[in-house]
Amino acid sequence: ELLISVGVAAVLSLSVAARIILFGNPISDAICIAIAMALTVIFSIVFGACAPLVLQRLGADPAKVSGPLLSTAIDIFGVLVACLSAQLLEAVGAFPVSV
């Protein structure tokens, strides 16, 4: 699952970065969004595959992690990654701060 997630993340991240650059937006925006998308895709695939297995091993019903709980966890992770990647790029000077 990890190899598949890295492949999917690479294709989606490169595609979204190319689209952002082609529409004339700064490359720092493309990098920030591509990083956030790659990490979110990898997390969602790995978490979606591992969470039911962990619950089953703990003796709980694996279906409890499907649906709303899974999508909510992935959404929260995605927002955190997007904000943190922008903050990281801003800290190293690659993401200009607009006042």
Side-chain angles (χ1 to χ4, degrees):
E1 293 295 326
L2 183 61
L3 290 175
I4 297 298
S5 68
V6 170
V8 171
V11 169
L12 289 175
S13 296
L14 291 174
S15 299
V16 77
R19 183 192 178 282
I20 291 169
I21 292 169
L22 285 173
F23 279 85
N25 292 311
I27 198 160
S28 59
D29 288 353
I31 293 169
C32 179
I33 293 170
I35 290 170
M37 177 171 278
L39 292 175
T40 303
V41 167
I42 291 170
F43 174 77
S44 65
I45 292 174
V46 171
F47 182 72
C50 292
L53 298 174
V54 170
L55 279 181
Q56 185 177 15
R57 175 131 330 172
L58 294 173
D61 183 15
K64 300 232 187 243
V65 76
S66 65
L69 178 62
L70 184 63
S71 62
T72 301
I74 292 167
D75 289 345
I76 290 170
F77 182 81
V79 169
L80 287 174
V81 168
C83 293
L84 292 175
S85 61
Q87 189 176 25
L88 176 66
L89 287 174
E90 182 181 333
V92 297
F95 201 60
V97 179
S98 58
V99 181

